[in-house]
Amino acid sequence: MGLAATIARRSLLQRPGRTLFSILGIAVGIATVVGIFTLDHNTLRVRSHSDDPDWRAEIEVSPSKGVKNPRAELSAVAGVVGVSAAFQSQASLWAGETVGGKATRVVLLAMDAENSRELGGYYIARGRDLAPGAAANEVLVGEKLADELGLEPGQKLLLAPPRRAPARDCVDGEWQVREREVSARATPTAFEVVGVLGREGVGRKGGGEVALIDFRAASQIFASEHFDPRYWIKRDPTINLETLQANLGEAWSYDLQKSVIIGQAADERAFRNGVRFAGLMALVLGLFVIFHALSMSLVERVREVGILHALGTSRAQVARVFFTEALFVAGAGGLLGLLGGVALAWRLLAWNITTVGIGGVNRAVLNLVFEVPWPVVGPLVGAGVAIALVGSIYPLAKAHGANAVAALRGDDAVGAARKPARGFQLLAAALLALVIPGVYFGVVPVIGEQQGELVGVLLLGMAVLALLVAAPLIAPSVIAWVCSLVTRPFERAWPLAGQLAARAIRQGPARVAGGVAGLALVTAGFVGLHGMTGALEAEIDIWSEEAYRDKVFVRQIEPLAFEELKAKFADYPQVLGIEP
């Protein structure tokens, strides 16, 4: 074991309390933010799978008679980022190039080949995707269908509208099939299999017994049948669901998949954004505690640096010692926080606690679909570890020039530490109030539209945080004056203890202000959350009073149509209105 590793290991083991709480301080902040984002991500996954076992398009719309060019008009609607014409029906399928034997009944889906993969949510297990504007008819088949019929890319098959029992007419007392329906039966159309769908998205339809073709080919196959095309659209995640519905207006009727509604309603969006922001504050608070602990131990570490210099170690060796120690603390805190956050999210879901309410979690589905959102969690964990690492190294790097002789006597330790401590506080304020929020907003998208109120609240929170962190640096003389005023009554009441405490406080106003800022930050968070919860409860009470005022609730009435029920109550002049 090298010199740096040996000294770092002994330093960590000789101060187990400081080591443990440093790791836990980093881990708690990271675990909270990881747990919140993992919980939110899996809340939507679990509830969408529980409510919709078969795949459906996110938003399916149908045009009214006044819509002339559906694709162009839908693409122009604000909040729509993808459009595909879609058609779904049953179809008869024969493997090979000739009609022989009994046809296989399959689910037939048709989409625009240009946008099919984006809106269909599928992946190709074997082969390739549909080619836009292909000269020959191409088809993608489900994995189960391919296994049952032995279909592979490059093989041929035939597709035709499903055979239905023809209509009959009674002629002279005998049933006769209509001649025009017999002649109108569609001729099977040849397709080439170009790919096999995996069991995701469209590939889940019909349990995997599905065929996906281009929309233009479907319009030709079903030309003689009832052809009712729909349109699948992809919503811009930065646009609220209510805004999109208003933009569609009366020209379009729409059908929303349940998983789209989960977490996207106005009240749920506000709650999810608030919970996410609380995760960011928890991460910042955990790192702030670590930074404050490091600043308080700076004097002691300056002495260590001076002693190591006196023993003949080079600056590079000293740097490796403290870098090794900081790397272990930050890495252990990050790993422990990641594991703890994932475990916390899974346990909360197992207890039916989600970011959109309590209940609605299927344990079997949870074990099947639970996953960690690495694109969001990974950068946040990395940012937390990196900032904790910088906070561990920076004060030591600033104190590396301490005079060895003065450090051994203890004369220059406080003076050498004072200037680096001020720079360290400035660095902490910049990292916690600027860098972490910047990483947060770059990695984590705001749910719904970035409204001015939401952005204003977030910026105000960051401003308060920056003020609390930077206060010891900005006004040290003011803090020293306040500390002297606070300690005067204690000096009169307890001369010895009060004077000693007052002297210690006056000599280290930044340390005292840092501790007060940390406690103020925790108290502000608690009071803010408690106030927000109280406001929600008051809003519920007010709404309940308005909702129940001057109303009579009736149940177990006879099964009548609403219009008939409304007509019966119209005979009573005391009834002002009726609501279903």
Side-chain angles (χ1 to χ4, degrees):
M1 184 178 293
L3 174 64
T6 301
I7 297 177
R9 179 179 63 85
R10 297 187 66 178
S11 176
L12 292 171
L13 295 178
Q14 286 176 355
R15 301 172 181 84
R18 188 186 67 185
T19 303
L20 177 61
F21 285 107
S22 297
I23 294 175
L24 289 180
I26 299 172
V28 168
I30 293 178
T32 304
V33 72
V34 169
I36 285 176
F37 282 98
T38 305
L39 178 67
D40 184 67
H41 176 78
N42 286 280
T43 292
L44 304 186
R45 286 180 57 84
V46 171
R47 292 207 169 190
S48 63
H49 280 74
S50 300
D51 295 337
D52 190 13
D54 196 7
W55 186 89
R56 290 180 57 202
E58 286 189 354
I59 305 176
E60 183 179 273
V61 299
S62 300
S64 64
K65 295 181 180 180
V67 177
K68 303 301 181 183
N69 190 342
R71 283 190 182 89
E73 294 188 26
L74 266 180
S75 300
V77 173
V80 176
V81 295
V83 179
S84 174
F87 175 76
Q88 179 175 336
S89 178
Q90 298 287 327
S92 299
L93 183 148
W94 295 268
E97 301 185 42
T98 59
V99 177
K102 184 178 180 181
T104 302
R105 181 68 66 93
V106 298
V107 176
L108 179 69
L109 284 174
M111 299 179 64
D112 292 337
E114 296 84 356
N115 302 323
S116 59
R117 194 163 190 174
E118 179 183 9
L119 295 175
Y122 61 85
Y123 76 94
I124 306 298
R126 300 189 295 276
R128 62 172 176 84
D129 201 357
L130 297 175
N137 292 327
E138 297 180 346
V139 62
L140 299 174
V141 296
E143 195 169 22
K144 183 178 179 182
L145 184 64
D147 294 340
E148 290 178 350
L149 302 181
L151 297 174
E152 293 293 337
Q155 295 181 345
K156 302 289 185 178
L157 57 79
L158 299 176
L159 285 173
R163 292 178 176 266
R164 299 180 178 87
R168 298 181 299 173
D169 294 326
C170 183
V171 179
D172 297 331
E174 296 182 358
W175 288 109
Q176 295 183 3
V177 178
R178 296 178 183 176
E179 293 291 336
R180 60 181 180 274
E181 293 205 4
V182 174
S183 60
R185 286 179 178 174
T187 303
T189 305
F191 283 82
E192 178 184 356
V193 179
V194 296
V196 177
L197 295 170
R199 297 182 185 271
E200 292 289 338
V202 165
R204 291 166 48 196
K205 298 292 291 185
E209 295 184 344
V210 59
L212 176 64
I213 63 176
D214 185 52
F215 182 81
R216 298 172 183 83
S219 62
Q220 298 174 1
I221 295 176
F222 288 84
S224 60
E225 301 284 327
H226 177 66
F227 191 73
D228 184 20
R230 304 291 180 92
Y231 292 88
W232 293 351
I233 63 177
K234 183 177 182 180
R235 180 178 64 92
D236 186 351
T238 62
I239 298 297
N240 291 339
L241 191 60
E242 298 85 0
T243 303
L244 177 60
Q245 292 172 332
N247 293 340
L248 290 173
E250 299 180 358
W252 302 89
S253 60
Y254 50 83
D255 182 20
L256 301 177
Q257 183 187 5
K258 290 183 179 180
S259 62
V260 176
I261 303 175
I262 294 175
Q264 294 296 330
D267 54 344
E268 292 177 336
R269 280 198 314 270
F271 188 79
R272 291 175 63 202
N273 280 324
V275 170
R276 287 179 166 206
F277 184 64
L280 170 65
M281 296 300 293
L283 176 61
V284 171
L285 179 59
L287 294 179
F288 173 78
V289 172
I290 293 303
F291 279 22
H292 181 54
L294 292 172
S295 66
M296 288 192 298
S297 64
L298 186 55
V299 174
E300 176 188 357
R301 308 313 297 271
V302 169
R303 290 196 181 103
E304 291 183 12
V305 172
I307 293 172
L308 289 175
H309 282 316
L311 293 176
T313 55
S314 63
R315 296 182 184 274
Q317 288 175 320
V318 172
R320 283 197 297 270
V321 168
F322 292 109
F323 179 78
T324 303
E325 182 179 341
L327 185 63
F328 173 80
V329 172
L335 179 60
L336 186 61
L338 176 61
L339 297 178
V342 173
L344 176 64
W346 191 91
R347 175 48 57 188
L348 289 175
L349 286 170
W351 287 339
N352 285 335
I353 299 175
T354 69
T355 55
V356 294
I358 299 177
V361 177
N362 188 320
R363 185 68 174 268
V365 175
L366 171 62
N367 295 331
L368 181 65
V369 305
F370 185 86
E371 69 176 14
V372 180
W374 292 112
V376 175
V377 167
L380 289 177
V381 173
V385 172
I387 292 176
L389 188 61
V390 171
S392 301
I393 295 174
Y394 178 82
L396 303 174
K398 296 295 290 184
H400 76 284
N403 185 277
V405 177
L408 290 174
R409 290 199 309 262
D411 297 337
D412 193 46
V414 176
R418 188 167 297 162
K419 186 177 180 180
R422 293 183 179 179
F424 179 63
Q425 292 165 3
L426 180 60
L427 174 69
L431 291 177
L432 298 179
L434 298 177
V435 176
I436 287 186
V439 173
Y440 174 84
F441 288 118
V443 174
V444 180
V446 176
I447 303 172
E449 300 176 18
Q450 292 189 3
Q451 300 173 345
E453 295 84 356
L454 175 61
V455 176
V457 169
L458 297 182
L459 293 179
L460 178 61
M462 291 298 100
V464 172
L465 176 63
L467 181 61
L468 290 174
V469 175
L473 173 67
I474 297 174
S477 58
V478 175
I479 294 171
W481 177 72
V482 172
C483 290
S484 63
L485 290 180
V486 172
T487 56
R488 284 178 185 175
F490 297 97
E491 292 183 65
R492 298 189 185 98
W494 303 288
L496 178 60
Q499 289 182 7
L500 292 177
R503 179 181 178 185
I505 292 174
R506 284 194 294 267
Q507 288 181 349
R511 173 178 57 83
V512 175
V516 173
L519 293 175
L521 188 60
V522 175
T523 305
F526 176 78
V527 173
L529 290 175
H530 185 70
M532 183 174 64
T533 305
L536 291 174
E537 292 178 352
E539 185 177 352
I540 292 173
D541 293 338
I542 295 174
W543 178 87
S544 301
E545 292 176 0
E546 294 292 334
Y548 282 86
R549 181 176 297 169
D550 297 331
K551 291 186 179 180
V552 176
F553 292 83
V554 183
R555 67 177 62 180
Q556 296 179 347
I557 58 178
E558 56 181 302
L560 294 175
F562 180 71
E563 293 300 328
E564 296 177 334
L565 191 63
K566 185 176 181 180
K568 289 182 178 295
F569 277 105
D571 297 334
Y572 299 89
Q574 298 89 348
V575 178
L576 303 180
I578 180 172
E579 298 177 3

